[in-house]
Amino acid sequence: LKLVLCARPGTIPPQFAATMGDAMDVVVVGSCNTDLISYVTRMPMPGETLNGKRFETGFGGKGANQCVMAAKLGARTAMVGKVGEDIFGKDTVKNFESLGVDTQFLTTTSERATGCAPIVVNDSGQNSIIVILGANELLSEADVAAAKAMIGGAKVVVCQHEVPIETTIAALRIADAAGVTSIFNPAPAQPPLPTEAFTLPSVFCVNETEAQLFTGIEVTDAASAEAAGTKLMAMGCKTVLLTLGENGVMFLQPGQPTLSVPAVKVKAIDTSGAGDSYIGALAFYLSKGSLGWEEALRRANTIAAESVQAHGTQSSYKSKADLPKELFLFPKL
C-alpha cells in the first residue's frame, strides 16, 4: 500500500488504522537510556562549578520515552532496541514489562553499556542534555530483520535518530513496503541524512532547530516555519510535522492547506521528554485511525502539555486513568 491523501480534507487515511488481529498498535524502533538528572537554579557557565539542588535517575532514551507514552495511553506497544548487560539495562527491561510493553525484540549486549543521558534542568524548566549512546549504537539491521513480522504488522511504527541511521532506514523500509504508518523524528539532528530518511516515513517530524539544520531556514515565526516545512516537502517528505514548543505545531501535507494547532498554555516545570511525549501520544492517536489530523494533533498537544508540569521524563507522563476521559473518545470508523 502507498500513502494516499484522503477523500475528505483533514481526515487521516484509512491505512492509519490497520486492523490485524494481534497486531501491535505501536512499534518503536530506537533508543533506550538511563537519565541522570541534575536540577539547578541556572545553567552553569563554561568552566564553572555550580551547586545543584537535587539529583534523580530515571528511564529515558527518545525511543523508550515515545514507547512508554503510547503504552501509558493504552496502546499495545513493542520496543525494538538494545541495552547493556548491566543494572541500567536490566532495570530498563523491567520498566517496560511493568507497563505491558512487549520486549521480545529488546536485546542485550556485553559489548557496550546501556545508553545514558546526563540532563541539567534549571528553575524555568529548560534543559540541557548530553546523550551517551552506548548499546544503542549496536542496534543493527539484523535486529530489525528479526522483528520484521511485528514491524510490518503494526498500525504505527516510530523511529528516531539515536540508533544507526541504517537501522532506522531498514525499519522504515519494512513499514513502507507493508503500508504501515511511520513517524520519523530525526533527533538528535545529524545532517546530512540519506534520501530515504525523508521519502520513506509517513510523517517526518522535526522541531525548529532540526528544521533549520536540514533546510538552512532559520525558524523564528509561522512564516519561516512554513517555509522550512515546504522545503522539506520538496525534499521528498510525504508529510511534515513541525513542533514549535509554546507556539504549538504545524502540519503540511500535499494538496491541503497548512494546518497550525496552538499549544496548550501551562506553567512548565520541566520540559525534558516533552517532544517524545508528543510523538508517543500522536502515535497512539494515529493507531486509532478515526480522528482527523487537527484533532489528533490537538490531543497530542494536550498530552505533551501535561508532561511539562511534572519533573522527569517518563515519570512525568500521565496514564490514561489520570487524564480527561474526552481524550479517549473516538468516532466509529
Side-chain angles (χ1 to χ4, degrees):
L1 295 175
K2 298 292 185 183
L3 180 71
V4 296
L5 290 176
C6 325
R8 292 186 292 113
T11 303
I12 296 171
Q15 69 266 36
F16 278 42
T19 53
M20 299 184 63
D22 291 335
M24 290 291 168
D25 295 322
V26 178
V27 173
V28 178
V29 180
S31 57
C32 302
N33 294 330
T34 296
D35 291 339
L36 309 172
I37 311 167
S38 298
Y39 292 93
V40 297
T41 301
R42 60 175 177 80
M43 296 295 181
M45 298 172 61
E48 180 185 18
T49 298
L50 189 67
N51 287 331
K53 298 167 69 176
R54 73 176 189 278
F55 173 79
E56 296 176 359
T57 61
F59 299 105
K62 297 189 70 62
N65 292 343
Q66 293 161 8
C67 185
V68 164
M69 185 73 264
K72 285 192 169 185
L73 295 177
R76 187 178 182 201
T77 61
M79 185 73 208
V80 180
K82 195 175 291 288
V83 295
E85 294 180 351
D86 49 41
I87 189 62
F88 288 160
K90 292 175 183 177
D91 286 346
T92 294
V93 174
K94 290 179 182 178
N95 181 56
F96 280 131
E97 292 176 345
S98 73
L99 295 167
V101 175
D102 188 300
T103 59
Q104 63 178 302
F105 296 110
L106 177 59
T107 56
T108 62
T109 177
S110 60
E111 297 179 34
R112 298 282 182 88
T114 300
C116 70
I119 302 173
V120 179
V121 182
N122 68 13
D123 279 350
S124 63
Q126 296 302 308
N127 63 71
S128 179
I129 305 173
I130 300 172
V131 178
I132 311 298
L133 292 175
N136 294 304
E137 293 185 301
L138 300 184
L139 186 66
S140 67
E141 294 174 73
D143 293 318
V144 168
K148 181 178 181 179
M150 178 179 283
I151 295 170
K155 296 177 183 178
V156 179
V157 170
V158 182
C159 299
Q160 331 74 38
H161 204 191
E162 288 184 332
V163 299
I165 190 61
E166 297 81 9
T167 303
T168 297
I169 294 296
L172 292 172
R173 283 173 181 160
I174 293 171
D176 185 63
V180 173
T181 300
S182 59
I183 302 172
F184 179 40
N185 172 218
Q190 301 171 53
L193 290 176
T195 300
E196 284 181 297
F198 298 97
T199 61
L200 285 173
S202 309
V203 181
F204 188 86
C205 178
V206 289
N207 64 19
E208 307 101 309
T209 302
E210 294 150 5
Q212 180 178 347
L213 286 171
F214 291 121
T215 66
I217 298 173
E218 184 179 4
V219 177
T220 57
D221 53 22
S224 55
E226 185 166 10
T230 300
K231 185 169 182 178
L232 286 168
M233 294 290 289
M235 294 166 68
C237 296
K238 294 173 181 176
T239 67
V240 174
L241 176 61
L242 294 106
T243 57
L244 306 172
E246 63 182 14
N247 295 313
V249 299
M250 183 176 288
F251 181 70
L252 292 85
Q253 59 179 323
Q256 301 292 340
T258 297
L259 181 62
S260 294
V261 181
V264 178
K265 301 301 182 183
V266 297
K267 179 176 175 55
I269 294 175
D270 184 352
T271 60
S272 302
D276 297 333
S277 170
Y278 184 88
I279 291 173
L282 181 62
F284 166 75
Y285 286 118
L286 292 182
S287 75
K288 296 300 180 182
S290 58
L291 296 178
W293 277 113
E294 185 170 6
E295 182 62 12
L297 296 170
R298 184 192 70 79
R299 293 191 191 188
N301 268 352
T302 301
I303 299 296
E306 292 285 343
S307 76
V308 304
Q309 298 178 72
H311 289 294
T313 46
Q314 293 178 23
S315 60
S316 72
Y317 298 168
K318 288 189 176 181
S319 298
K320 179 178 179 179
D322 300 316
L323 291 162
K325 292 182 179 179
E326 55 265 28
L327 292 173
F328 302 94
L329 297 177
F330 300 97
K332 292 183 178 180
L333 288 172

